[in-house]
C-alpha cells in the first residue's frame, strides 16, 4: 500500500488512485495500469469479495465472460434423437402396412390351398388311397331330382 | 317419415369398408384438437385485453351462438350423413357446387403450408429449451467482448434471439435472403412428425390424438396453478377482466369477435366434414357440435387466465426493474450507499431530491415508471409466444422446465390442428380416387407431406416471416369466410332445409328446433356476409403495410412500417383468388357438359325421327 496514493475520497467507497514506481519515482501511465487491471480484474474482485456489478473501474469496461459454447449445440443433439425416433417409427409403420397387405392378399389363396391339401391328405389316409369323389359326401345326383325338391320347402 | 340412405354408404364400390373411429372419444378428441389451436392461446387473450376485458365476452358469446355453433353443426351433419370428404359431400349435394369442396381442399393445403412453418418455429424453441441458461436469457458478447452485440443491446436479448438467431430476418420483404438451414431442419422434422401421425389416416391419428389433445390441458392447468402463485399475477388478471362497456360501441370489436369465433373453430376447412364422415351414421351430431364449440371457448378462457397471470408477473417484474434503474441513477449521482433506497421509498426520495437539488435531478435519465404501461405491452400471435412469454419464463425459477412445458404445449396444439388440415386434404383425395387403388394410403399421405414440405421451404427464407403474415392475414381469412357462406347457403337452400332436417332427425332421433332452422336460413348467412363486407372495407381503407425489423432504423427497436410492394400484393391477390376459382369453374364445366349432353340427345332424337 506504500506505493498507492489516495485522493478525492467520498462517502461512498469511491476514490481516485495512481500507482507510483518506487525505482523510477514517477507515476505509471494510465494505459499500463488499465491493462494490468483488465487482466487481473478477477483477482481484484476476489480479494474484495466483490463482482463486476459492485466494483467498477471507470473507463475500464469489464470483459464479459465468453458464452458457454459446447462443440455440438444442444439443440442438434435433441433434434437428432427425435428425428431418428420419428424415422424409425415411420419405417415400422410402413413395413407393418406392407405386411398387413401381403397377409390380406395371401388369405384367399391360402384358403384354397388348405382345401386342396385337405382333399389330398384324405385320399391317402391309413395308406389306403380312397376315391376323392367319395370324400365329398352327400352328393345328390341332379338327374334324379325334381324341380320342387331342389328348393328348400317352407 | 325417416328414410334410410339409398345405398349402404359404409362400403365403397370395390367392397372396401370405410375406416371407422375406434371409439367416440377419438372422434371427440380429434375435433377438439382440430378446433383448439394456437389461436386459443395467443389470439383470444390479446383480444380480450384489447377490447375491454370482460366486456369482450358479450360479442364473443353472441357470435358463438349465432354463427359458430350453427355452421359447425352443418359441417358435422353433412359429413356424417353423406359419409364422404368435402369434395364428395358437395358433389352429392349438387354437382354444380362440387367446386366448394375443391376450394376447401386447396385452402386447407395452403393453410397447412404456413401453419406447419409456425409449428417448426415452435419446435426450434422447444429444442433450445433443454439447456440452462436459456439461449435467449442474455445477449451474446461482441467481438472484443467488452459489451453486447449492438443489435441486441438496442432491443433485448429475447427479441434478438427471435429476429436474428431464429429467423435471421431481412429488413425488407423484397430482400429474400437465403434459406436458414436450422429452420429447414426443424421444418423437415415437423413434417416428418405430421407424416408419422397421419400415415394411415384416422387409424394412426386416432391413437396419437389422446396425447396431443390432452397434453395441452395438463400444461395449461400447471401454468394456471404456477401463474396464480406468481407475484403480480392478480394485477394482470384484474387488468384483463375489468370490463369496459364503452368499447362495445366500436364496430371493430364485433368484427373481431365474429372472426375470432370463426377461425377458432376451424370452420370451412373441410376437416370437420372429414372427421364426421368416419362416424357411424346414427350419432348425435347436434350434441357434439354444441359440446365441442363450448369446450373450445372454455379452453380459450382457461388459457387467458394462464397467459395473463404470467404476463401480469412479467409486467410487475419489468416495473420493478424500471424502478431499480432509476434508483441506481439516483444512488450514483448523489453517492448514496448501496440499497439505501427501496422501491417503495423511491417516489418520496425523488420528491425530496427534486425539491433540494432540482438541476441535478433534471439532468438524470429517469424514466417514468407506471405499471399500467407495462401491462399494456401485450401482443398477439408469434410476438406473444416468442417474445413476451419467453421473457416471462426467464424470471420464473426453473426456467428451462417451464420453457419446455410451454413450447411442448404449443407444439402439440399445432400438431392436432395439422391432423385436421391433413385429413381435410387426404380424405377427399381418397374418396375421389386421385391415385389408382393399388397405391397404398401411406404413399398418398407421403406424397402430400413431401409436396407440402417442399413448397413450405419458402418460409425458411430470411423474409419468410413477412410472407407468412400476409398469407395469414389476407389469403386465408377471406377465402374461409366466402366458403363458409357458400356452405350454409348451399345446405339451407340447394340441399333443401326439409331434406336436411329429415336427415338430422334420422341421425339424431329428433328434428332440429326453430333456433337451428332460423340461424341456418337467415342469421348465419347474413352475419357472414356482413363480416365479409366489413373485412373488405377495412382492408381497402388503408394501404396494406407490414412492420419490418430494421436495425438501421432511427427508431429501432420499434419496427419500421413499410408498404407492401406491388408484386407482393399481386401474388397475394392470386393466392386469395385461386382457391375460389374452383367454385365458378366447376359450376361452368358442369353446365357445359349438361348442355352438350342435352344437345347430343336432341341430335340423336332428330336422327331417329328423320331416319
Amino acid at each position: 500500500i506504500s506505493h498507492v496514493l489516495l485522493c478525492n475520497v467520498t462517502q461512498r467507497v469511491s476514490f481516485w488512485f495512481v500507482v507510483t514506481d518506487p525505482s523510477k519515482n514517477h507515476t505509471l501511465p494510465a494505459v499500463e495500469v488499465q491493462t494490468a487491471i483488465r487482466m487481473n480484474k478477477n483477482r481484484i474482485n476476489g480479494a474484495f469479495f466483490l463482482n463486476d456489478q459492485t466494483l467498477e473501474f471507470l473507463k475500464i469496461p469489464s470483459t464479459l465472460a465468453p458464452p458457454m459454447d459446447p462443440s455440438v449445440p444442444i439443440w442438434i443433439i435433441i433434434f437428432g434423437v427425435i428425428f431418428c425416433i420419428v424415422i424409425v417409427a415411420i419405417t415400422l409403420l410402413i413395413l407393418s402396412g406392407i405386411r398387413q397387405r401381403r397377409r390380406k392378399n395371401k388369405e384367399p389363396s391360402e384358403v384354397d390351398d388348405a382345401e386342396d391339401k385337405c382333399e389330398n391328405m384324405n385320399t391317402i389316409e391309413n395308406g389306403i388311397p380312397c376315391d376323392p369323389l367319395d370324400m365329398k359326401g352327400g352328393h345328390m345326383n341332379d338327374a334324379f331330382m325334381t324341380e320342387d325338391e331342389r328348393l328348400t320347402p317352407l | 317419415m325417416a328414410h334410410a340412405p339409398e345405398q349402404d354408404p359404409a362400403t365403397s364400390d370395390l367392397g372396401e369398408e370405410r375406416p371407422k373411429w375406434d371409439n367416440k372419444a377419438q372422434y371427440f378428441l380429434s375435433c377438439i384438437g382440430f378446433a383448439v389451436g394456437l389461436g386459443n392461446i395467443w389470439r383470444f387473450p390479446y383480444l380480450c385485453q384489447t377490447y375491454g376485458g370482460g366486456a369482450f365476452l358479450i360479442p364473443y358469446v353472441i357470435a358463438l351462438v349465432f354463427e359458430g355453433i350453427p355452421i359447425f353443426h352443418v359441417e358435422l351433419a353433412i359429413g356424417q350423413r353423406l359419409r364422404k370428404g368435402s369434395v364428395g359431400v358437395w358433389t352429392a349435394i349438387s354437382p354444380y357446387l362440387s367446386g366448394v369442396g375443391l376450394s376447401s381442399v386447396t385452402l386447407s393445403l395452403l393453410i397447412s403450408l404456413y401453419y406447419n412453418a409456425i409449428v417448426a418455429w415452435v419446435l426450434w424453441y422447444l429444442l433450445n429449451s433443454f439447456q440452462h441458461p436459456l439461449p435467449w436469457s442474455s445477449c451474446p458478447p461482441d467481438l472484443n467482448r467488452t459489451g453486447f452485440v449492438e443489435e441486441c443491446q438496442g432491443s433485448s436479448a429475447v427479441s434478438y434471439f427471435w429476429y436474428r438467431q431464429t429467423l435471421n430476418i431481412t429488413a425488407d420483404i423484397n430482400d429474400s435472403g437465403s434459406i436458414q438451414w436450422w429452420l429447414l431442419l426443424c421444418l423437415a422434422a415437423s413434417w416428418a412428425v405430421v407424416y408419422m401421425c397421419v400415415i394411415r389416416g384416422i387409424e394412426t391419428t386416432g391413437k396419437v390424438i389422446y396425447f396431443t389433445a390432452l397434453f395441452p390441458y395438463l400444461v395449461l392447468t400447471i401454468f394456471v396453478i404456477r401463474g396464480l402463485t406468481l407475484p403480480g399475477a392478480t394485477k394482470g388478471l384484474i387488468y384483463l377482466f375489468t370490463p369496459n362497456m364503452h368499447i362495445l360501441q366500436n364496430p371493430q370489436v364485433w368484427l373481431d369477435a365474429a372472426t375470432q369465433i370463426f377461425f377458432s373453430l376451424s370452420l370451412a376447412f373441410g376437416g370437420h366434414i372429414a372427421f364426421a364422415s368416419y362416424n357411424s351414421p346414427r350419432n348425435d351430431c347436434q350434441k357434439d357440435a354444441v359440446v365441442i364449440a363450448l369446450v373450445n371457448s372454455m379452453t380459450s378462457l382457461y388459457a387467458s387466465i394462464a397467459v395473463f397471470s404470467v404476463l401480469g408477473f412479467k409486467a410487475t417484474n419489468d416495473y420493478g426493474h424500471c424502478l431499480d434503474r432509476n434508483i441506481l441513477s439516483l444512488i450514483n449521482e448523489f453517492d448514496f450507499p448501496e440499497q439505501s433506497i427501496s422501491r417503495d421509498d423511491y417516489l418520496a426520495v425523488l420528491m425530496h431530491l427534486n425539491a433540494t437539488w432540482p438541476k441535478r435531478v433534471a439532468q438524470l435519465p429517469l424514466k417514468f415508471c407506471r405499471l399500467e404501461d407495462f401491462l399494456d405491452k401485450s401482443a398477439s400471435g408469434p410476438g406473444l409466444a416468442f417474445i413476451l412469454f419467453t421473457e416471462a419464463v426467464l424470471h420464473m425459477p426453473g426456467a428451462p422446465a417451464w420453457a419446455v412445458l410451454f413450447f411442448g404445449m404449443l407444439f402439440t396444439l399445432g400438431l392436432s390442428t395439422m391432423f385436421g388440415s391433413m385429413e381435410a386434404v387426404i380424405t377427399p383425395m381418397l374418396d375421389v380416387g386421385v391415385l389408382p387403388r393399388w397405391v397404398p394410403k401411406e404413399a398418398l399421405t407421403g406424397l402430400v407431406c413431401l409436396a407440402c414440405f417442399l413448397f413450405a421451404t419458402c418460409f425458411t427464407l430470411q423474409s419468410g416471416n413477412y410472407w407468412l403474415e400476409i398469407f395469414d392475414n389476407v389469403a386465408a381469412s377471406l377465402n374461409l369466410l366466402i366458403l363458409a357462406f357458400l356452405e350454409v347457403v348451399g345446405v339451407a337452400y340447394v340441399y333443401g332445409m326439409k331434406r336436411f332436417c329429415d336427415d338430422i332427425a334420422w341421425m339424431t332421433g329428433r328434428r332440429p328446433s326453430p333456433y337451428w332452422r332460423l340461424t341456418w336460413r337467415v342469421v348465419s348467412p347474413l352475419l357472414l356476409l356482413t363480416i365479409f363486407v366489413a373485412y373488405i372495407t377495412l382492408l381497402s381503407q388503408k394501404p396494406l403495410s407490414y412492420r419490418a425489423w430494421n436495425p438501421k432504423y432511427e427508431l429501432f427497436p420499434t419496427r419500421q412500417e413499410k408498404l407492401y410492394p406491388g408484386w407482393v400484393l399481386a401474388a397475394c391477390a392470386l393466392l386469395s383468388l385461386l382457391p375460389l376459382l374452383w367454385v365458378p369453374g366447376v359450376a361452368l364445366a358442369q353446365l357445359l357438359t349438361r348442355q352438350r349432353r342435352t344437345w347430343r340427345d336432341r341430335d340423336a332424337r332428330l336422327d331417329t325421327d328423320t331416319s
Side-chain angles (χ1 to χ4, degrees), chain B residues 117-407:
Chain B
I118 301 180
V119 174
W121 293 339
V122 172
L123 181 63
W124 161 257
Y125 267 82
L126 176 62
L127 293 176
N128 272 296
S129 304
F130 286 97
Q131 49 189 292
H132 183 76
L134 291 167
W136 54 82
S137 59
S138 59
C139 281
D142 62 15
L143 288 167
N144 47 6
R145 289 207 257 119
T146 51
F148 296 123
V149 171
E150 199 190 315
E151 190 179 346
C152 194
Q153 188 81 339
S155 55
S156 69
V158 216
S159 305
Y160 181 75
F161 185 75
W162 168 233
Y163 286 111
R164 190 54 51 211
Q165 288 174 311
T166 306
L167 298 176
N168 199 8
I169 206 164
T170 52
D172 197 287
I173 196 173
N174 276 316
D175 189 4
S176 297
S178 54
I179 290 188
Q180 306 305 293
W181 61 270
W182 55 91
L183 287 182
L184 192 69
L185 282 181
C186 289
L187 189 70
S190 11
W191 274 111
V193 172
V194 169
Y195 178 49
M196 176 183 81
C197 300
V198 180
I199 191 167
R200 266 192 239 142
I202 62 169
E203 198 186 314
T204 38
T205 55
K207 311 275 188 320
V208 187
I209 203 75
Y210 287 115
F211 175 68
T212 54
L214 293 174
F215 180 67
Y217 286 99
L218 175 68
V219 175
L220 270 179
T221 313
I222 296 176
F223 265 102
V224 163
I225 297 174
R226 176 77 262 238
L228 288 174
T229 53
L230 287 170
T234 36
K235 293 203 192 78
L237 284 175
I238 292 171
Y239 198 66
L240 166 71
F241 283 118
T242 320
N244 173 16
M245 289 297 177
H246 296 290
I247 208 101
L248 294 179
Q249 293 162 358
N250 180 5
Q252 179 82 11
V253 181
W254 297 87
L255 176 66
D256 276 337
T259 41
Q260 171 61 15
I261 266 294
F262 183 74
F263 298 132
S264 180
L265 284 171
S266 307
L267 299 172
F269 276 71
H272 290 296
I273 300 180
F275 282 150
S277 70
Y278 296 117
N279 260 342
S280 63
R282 287 188 188 270
N283 175 50
D284 195 346
C285 53
Q286 184 171 308
K287 197 164 62 127
D288 291 343
V290 175
V291 171
I292 295 174
L294 284 176
V295 167
N296 180 51
S297 299
M298 288 296 125
T299 312
S300 294
L301 276 172
Y302 197 47
S304 31
I305 297 178
V307 166
F308 269 95
S309 38
V310 173
L311 287 185
F313 160 71
K314 176 181 182 310
T316 313
N317 224 314
D318 288 345
Y319 173 65
H321 285 319
C322 180
L323 284 178
D324 285 344
R325 276 194 297 269
N326 286 353
I327 290 173
L328 192 63
S329 313
L330 283 180
I331 287 180
N332 277 344
E333 172 64 26
F334 292 98
D335 282 336
F336 288 142
E338 216 45 56
Q339 290 169 2
S340 58
I341 309 178
S342 74
R343 286 179 186 172
D344 300 324
D345 295 335
Y346 165 70
L347 278 172
V349 171
L350 182 65
M351 274 202 316
H352 170 76
L353 286 174
N354 218 356
T356 44
W357 303 97
K359 281 211 198 89
R360 286 171 78 180
V361 171
Q363 71 184 20
L364 287 176
L366 291 177
K367 282 211 181 97
F368 185 55
C369 299
R370 220 171 63 108
L371 183 60
E372 282 74 25
D373 292 339
F374 292 105
L375 284 170
D376 272 334
K377 274 206 201 113
S378 71
S380 78
L384 174 76
F386 299 126
I387 299 184
L388 282 186
F389 220 83
T390 42
E391 205 190 315
V393 153
L394 283 176
H395 302 298
M396 291 160 64
W402 299 109
V404 167
L405 275 179
F406 179 65
F407 289 112

Side-chain angles (χ1 to χ4, degrees), chain A residues 12 64 75 78 93 96 101, chain B residues 130 145 200 332 440 442:
Chain A
R12 198 175 177 210
L64 298 166
W75 73 268
I78 305 176
L93 282 168
S96 73
R101 214 163 291 121
Chain B
F130 286 97
R145 289 207 257 119
R200 266 192 239 142
N332 277 344
E442 289 93 331

